[in-house]
Amino acid sequence: MTSSSPDLSLQIGSLQMKNPVMTASGTFGYGVEYAELFDMSKLGAVVIKAATMKPRVGNPPPRIAETPAGMLNAIGLQNPGADAVISEKLPQLAEYDVPVIVNLSGESVDEYVQLAEKFSACGQVDALELNISCPNVEHGMDFGTRPELTAELVGKVRAASDLPLITKLSPNVTDITEIAVAAVDAGSDALSVINTLLGISIDVERRRPLLGNVTGGLSGPAIKPVALRCVWQVYEQVDVPIIGVGGIMNTRDALEFIMAGASAVAVGTATFVNPTASVEIVAGLQQYFAEHDLPDLGALVGAAHP
Amino acid sequence: MVSVECELLSNEEDAPGHYVMALAAPEIAAEAQPGQFVHLRTPRTFDPLLRRPFSIMLADKVHGHLRLLAQVVGRGTEILVNTPVGAKLEVLGPLGTGFPLPTGDGDVLMVAGGVGVAPLISLADALRGFEHPAYIRGLFGAADEDMLVCWIEFAGRCDEFYVTTEDGSAGERGLITEALAQQLDRGQAAVAYTCGPVAMMAAVAQMCGDADVPCYCSLEQRMGCGIGACLGCVIAAADGGYLRVCKDGPVFATDRLDWEAILSDQQ
């Protein structure tokens, strides 16, 4: 029994989180959807659905398909556009004592810069997450698959905003560490590792792809080993905090990511299965750290590395 | 909306592959409105991963029980209907936007196709409880006699009841839309409610539109979160955008939907 509770807080630039558990963009809407089910202020941070400059209607249905221990999604960045997110969605989150991170998705470097400026100026978000890895829109992954484009984009957004910058990496690359290093060298304060894996499901009765968009992003327990491998590899190459994402369903999964090198974890698909998964993981981590006499988060980050 | 563990009180096969499951869910039963649904987790596993949505067929607010009608369509529903009585299921609900209740005079038409009868039973049950109960003309179509699931529960809550089967094994031989045409010709219908196969609902929507009878349908779609966050279960709207089946629906005024797109998305 420890005399004081372990310190699970962490800092990413000016972003101060009371614990390392976040939601994953796109799985938590704008937060308020889940407010009836649990107290959002128990989370380290909330990452809201990707925002684009203009409203997007998204992809034709079906948009999701279940796969073994996972799911494919091809939502296609449906959102009301940056201005509506700022004026209609973010104010609803203001009453909760939790940092808000907005996920940004642009079609060009200029558009990412404009998005970063808009959200920095609005005063309602605590950090930016650059989505350079969306598999469900045309060119969505370009900035996340070519290191020179990653560097250019992150550098320009860095120059346009004082907010902490998190870059969300795609696993759909030959060597994720190249992209990670490019993003960090260009000024990214942290990395989210990983976005979904590109996949397809086929309806054998209709003899057609099951998803309206043909391809979709694979998430859920099925991708956890891949995500862990990516976190492991990136941890060995960069010195910024890594946010582990990919198939985290419970405390044990979160611990694996932390030991692989993640300083924080984002819970995504698990929330669909168990709406309170994220807050259960917060409690579970506190219990584990206390039971193992770990004073703070840093004591476990990367612990599995030789 | 609550997320609770509920005991499975009974589970009976009503028609081949169709089970009526009763759950002890007092919080959900108390809140439930006709046409709402619950999201059930497949027990103790991440494979299958996602929850399965089920219309609430009856919400017994006195005893705190819910009755669901589950059709086995795949591995997830197979596992759910094989849950032993007495076991607990994780239930999220009540979810979604249900049926708007009739406001004026005139008869209520209900057009059910197969397992789509479930939300209409909840609606008919609610309308019976009114001080001045609406006059309900129920229409039930199915492929054959066996597929007239829970017809007794439906018929018992209607003032008039018509059945069609495609093979003529019960009621009139033919499609339920033929019976609907006769009912619309009679006039006096203030509103229509429908749930069943998409092609049937598209036809019902068209016929009611032509007859100037407001019509509401209950849809289903592959679902992720069930509460409006993930935008996975959308359906094409008449205005060119998409509506969330889980949150904006599952009940929609049929004139809000783009039926042509909905039918083509299914092909």
Side-chain angles (χ1 to χ4, degrees):
Chain A
M1 190 80 191
T2 46
S3 54
S4 61
S5 60
D7 177 13
L8 294 187
S9 69
L10 83 149
Q11 191 140 6
I12 298 174
S14 61
L15 171 65
Q16 180 69 43
M17 292 165 54
K18 54 177 112 44
N19 67 62
V21 181
M22 310 158 54
T23 59
S25 180
T27 61
F28 202 63
Y30 297 99
V32 292
E33 290 86 349
Y34 283 96
E36 261 185 76
L37 292 170
F38 64 87
D39 178 6
M40 265 190 283
S41 64
K42 287 185 176 164
L43 294 173
V46 165
V47 186
I48 62 170
K49 171 92 186 144
T52 55
M53 279 301 281
K54 291 181 190 146
R56 285 183 62 101
V57 295
N59 288 328
R63 289 179 171 180
I64 58 177
E66 194 173 51
T67 60
M71 65 177 284
L72 289 165
N73 87 79
I75 309 301
L77 298 178
Q78 180 182 337
N79 80 102
D83 290 334
V85 171
I86 290 168
S87 63
E88 292 163 26
K89 304 295 186 184
L90 288 174
Q92 297 179 296
L93 274 168
E95 62 181 282
Y96 300 95
D97 177 27
V98 65
V100 176
I101 301 171
V102 63
N103 182 286
L104 305 180
S105 194
E107 288 178 9
S108 63
V109 172
D110 280 351
E111 211 173 281
Y112 275 102
V113 168
Q114 286 174 46
L115 282 164
E117 287 171 347
K118 246 183 212 295
F119 281 98
S120 303
C122 81
Q124 299 179 87
V125 298
D126 299 284
L128 306 175
E129 182 178 68
L130 290 183
N131 185 356
I132 60 166
S133 43
C134 180
N136 296 326
V137 296
E138 206 182 341
H139 307 305
M141 291 197 299
D142 288 0
F143 290 109
T145 55
R146 295 170 57 191
E148 68 278 10
L149 290 182
T150 308
E152 185 197 348
L153 175 68
V154 173
K156 291 207 168 138
V157 172
R158 173 74 293 162
S161 173
D162 293 328
L163 287 176
L165 201 56
I166 302 161
T167 307
K168 188 164 187 177
L169 304 184
S170 171
N172 304 305
V173 293
T174 310
D175 181 358
I176 195 169
T177 65
E178 278 185 18
I179 313 291
V181 168
V184 172
D185 286 351
S188 193
D189 298 301
L191 301 171
S192 285
V193 181
I194 53 179
N195 207 318
T196 54
L197 278 85
L198 200 55
I200 285 181
S201 181
I202 289 177
D203 183 331
V204 297
E205 295 304 324
R206 290 163 61 239
R207 303 183 193 179
R208 294 281 304 141
L210 207 149
L211 294 174
N213 188 54
V214 182
T215 60
L218 181 64
S219 66
I223 72 164
K224 192 184 82 169
V226 177
L228 272 171
R229 181 266 297 172
C230 291
V231 168
W232 182 282
Q233 289 177 326
V234 170
Y235 178 75
E236 296 197 325
Q237 298 297 322
V238 304
D239 288 322
V240 300
I242 296 168
I243 299 157
V245 203
I248 298 170
M249 303 301 286
N250 49 39
T251 302
R252 189 191 172 89
D253 293 338
L255 286 166
E256 285 192 56
F257 276 83
I258 293 169
M259 292 176 194
S263 297
V265 293
V267 178
T269 302
T271 301
F272 303 161
V273 181
N274 171 15
T276 52
S278 54
V279 283
E280 287 170 21
I281 290 171
V282 173
L285 289 178
Q286 273 156 351
Q287 189 184 347
Y288 181 92
F289 274 70
E291 281 174 5
H292 293 79
D293 284 325
L294 294 160
D296 55 34
L297 192 58
L300 204 60
V301 174
H305 286 259
Chain B
M1 168 179 54
V2 291
S3 178
V4 283
E5 283 208 324
C6 302
E7 186 184 342
L8 181 64
L9 299 170
S10 65
N11 184 13
E12 282 158 22
E13 191 168 18
D14 186 87
H18 294 73
Y19 294 78
V20 175
M21 303 172 79
L23 293 163
E27 301 101 321
I28 298 175
E31 267 186 64
Q33 301 293 319
Q36 287 192 302
F37 71 97
V38 290
H39 220 19
L40 261 61
R41 183 170 172 187
T42 316
R44 289 180 297 280
T45 175
F46 291 143
D47 185 34
L49 180 67
L50 297 172
R51 287 174 179 247
R52 302 295 192 261
F54 295 94
S55 287
I56 296 170
M57 183 166 82
L58 280 172
D60 177 345
K61 294 175 195 288
V62 176
H63 299 96
H65 297 172
L66 289 180
R67 278 180 189 276
L68 312 176
L69 176 55
Q71 178 187 16
V72 176
V73 292
R75 207 158 54 91
T77 41
E78 177 81 47
I79 293 169
L80 279 170
V81 302
N82 281 305
T83 305
V85 168
K88 300 247 172 143
L89 287 168
E90 288 178 57
V91 187
L92 180 63
L95 302 175
T97 306
F99 294 105
L101 301 180
T103 47
D105 294 337
D107 296 356
V108 170
L109 295 179
M110 293 192 187
V111 187
V115 69
V117 73
L120 297 176
I121 290 174
S122 81
L123 177 62
D125 192 63
L127 298 188
R128 303 309 288 176
F130 276 18
E131 199 175 333
H132 302 289
Y135 190 85
I136 303 170
R137 287 187 255 157
L139 287 69
F140 196 180
D144 57 40
E145 187 178 13
D146 279 351
M147 288 299 110
L148 290 167
V149 280
C150 295
W151 75 268
I152 293 171
E153 284 80 355
F154 188 32
R157 291 174 172 83
C158 296
D159 297 284
E160 293 177 27
F161 187 64
Y162 304 90
V163 168
T164 64
T165 52
E166 287 168 42
D167 68 355
S169 53
E172 293 282 316
R173 179 195 294 268
L175 296 174
I176 199 65
T177 42
E178 294 156 21
L180 174 63
Q182 291 174 16
Q183 293 302 321
L184 288 170
D185 283 347
R186 281 174 62 186
Q188 299 154 6
V191 59
Y193 301 98
T194 185
C195 185
V198 168
M200 181 203 91
M201 289 191 287
V204 171
Q206 174 80 48
M207 294 166 70
C208 289
D210 291 346
D212 251 345
V213 173
C215 181
Y216 299 90
C217 62
S218 176
L219 299 183
E220 58 178 11
Q221 177 67 289
R222 290 168 189 279
M223 239 173 234
C225 68
I227 67 170
C230 77
L231 312 179
C233 65
V234 299
I235 198 103
D239 67 6
Y242 292 108
L243 293 162
R244 299 166 297 182
V245 172
C246 73
K247 185 80 177 179
D248 305 311
V251 173
F252 297 97
T254 51
D255 59 8
R256 284 185 77 194
L257 303 175
D258 179 347
W259 288 97
E260 209 173 307
I262 292 168
L263 288 166
S264 87
D265 286 338
Q266 291 225 320
Q267 279 153 19

